[in-house]
Amino acid sequence: MAHLTRYYMYKRIKECFKEPINGKVLGISGIENFRPLISKDAEVLDVHYPEVDMQSLPYKDNSFDFVISDQVIEHLENPKKAIEESYRVLKRGGIAIHTTCFMNYIHYCSKDYWRFSPDALRYLCKDFSEILQCEGWGNRIAILLCFISDKFRFMKIPETKWSIRRLIATYNEKRYPIVTWVVAKK
């Protein structure tokens, strides 16, 4: 069960895929929330930043069918280089999924450099052949709750249709994104 600031994002990303993600998958820093999208037959290499630097991936060109980074690029000195590296290691037709934050408190891991709008993510992925999805999620109620307490930010969202938590987690005001993401095809 995803929490408030990521519930909508993971639901929307899932809509990009009719079938489970399969093939060779590079997951960078905590892809647990993507596990339900990944086939049990997929070959998953789960690595963590900074042990594996996304700005200089130690893998051959055209090695992966999917590259997934979840809340990583805001911590990198050179996010453009990281996106270029994800492109490099993807096979032709491969898919990159990058999630990040926009309105968020500073959170060190070890550094916190950037915030990305959907336009910024689209720009960073301009060399990809197709942007399948590039969006943001947030609303003023969620922002207020998140700034009041991390307890609200990390509250779990039930699937119950009329849950107030679910209503807040699915209400999207595009002008107030807390998280942003891009799904791009090489």
Side-chain angles (χ1 to χ4, degrees):
M1 190 181 327
H3 59 73
L4 176 64
T5 61
R6 298 188 189 177
Y7 179 85
Y8 182 88
M9 176 179 70
Y10 295 135
K11 291 269 190 200
R12 287 289 296 139
I13 291 170
K14 182 179 181 180
E15 291 173 11
C16 284
F17 305 100
K18 292 180 174 115
E19 302 289 327
I21 290 172
N22 211 340
K24 202 168 175 190
V25 180
L26 173 61
I28 304 167
S29 287
I31 62 161
E32 294 81 26
N33 291 305
F34 286 93
R35 294 283 179 193
L37 301 178
I38 300 172
S39 166
K40 289 178 175 71
D41 297 327
E43 181 184 337
V44 179
L45 177 58
D46 193 358
V47 300
H48 295 276
Y49 175 81
E51 292 82 21
V52 173
D53 186 356
M54 195 174 162
Q55 300 159 108
S56 181
L57 292 171
Y59 309 110
K60 294 179 182 176
D61 296 358
N62 309 306
S63 298
F64 297 94
D65 298 292
F66 291 87
V67 173
I68 302 170
S69 73
D70 197 11
Q71 308 295 309
V72 178
I73 63 173
E74 69 268 22
H75 301 288
L76 305 174
E77 288 181 17
N78 191 342
K80 183 165 180 29
K81 178 69 174 147
I83 299 297
E84 289 169 351
E85 279 291 282
S86 73
Y87 182 90
R88 179 185 66 77
V89 301
L90 277 172
K91 296 175 184 176
R92 173 181 261 162
I95 305 284
I97 303 170
H98 300 294
T99 74
T100 188
C101 57
F102 187 72
M103 288 187 205
N104 204 352
Y105 59 88
I106 292 175
H107 54 289
Y108 299 105
C109 176
S110 65
K111 302 282 185 185
D112 191 355
Y113 293 106
W114 308 99
R115 296 297 180 262
F116 297 91
S117 67
D119 286 339
L121 292 175
R122 208 173 279 108
Y123 173 77
L124 289 173
C125 293
K126 66 182 178 168
D127 292 335
F128 284 77
S129 70
E130 184 180 359
I131 304 293
L132 303 175
Q133 194 178 83
C134 187
E135 298 179 16
W137 171 86
N139 61 64
R140 288 172 279 185
I141 297 166
I143 290 169
L144 178 62
L145 289 172
C146 290
F147 282 108
I148 289 172
S149 171
D150 274 348
K151 185 171 107 178
F152 291 116
R153 174 182 299 278
F154 296 108
M155 71 180 174
K156 301 298 182 191
I157 306 302
E159 291 298 324
T160 308
K161 186 175 182 178
W162 296 108
S163 160
I164 189 74
R165 288 183 285 166
R166 186 171 181 275
L167 290 172
I168 294 169
T170 56
Y171 176 56
N172 193 21
E173 292 180 281
K174 291 183 181 186
R175 291 183 56 202
Y176 301 97
I178 295 171
V179 291
T180 57
W181 65 91
V182 64
V183 180
K185 183 177 184 178
K186 182 173 179 178

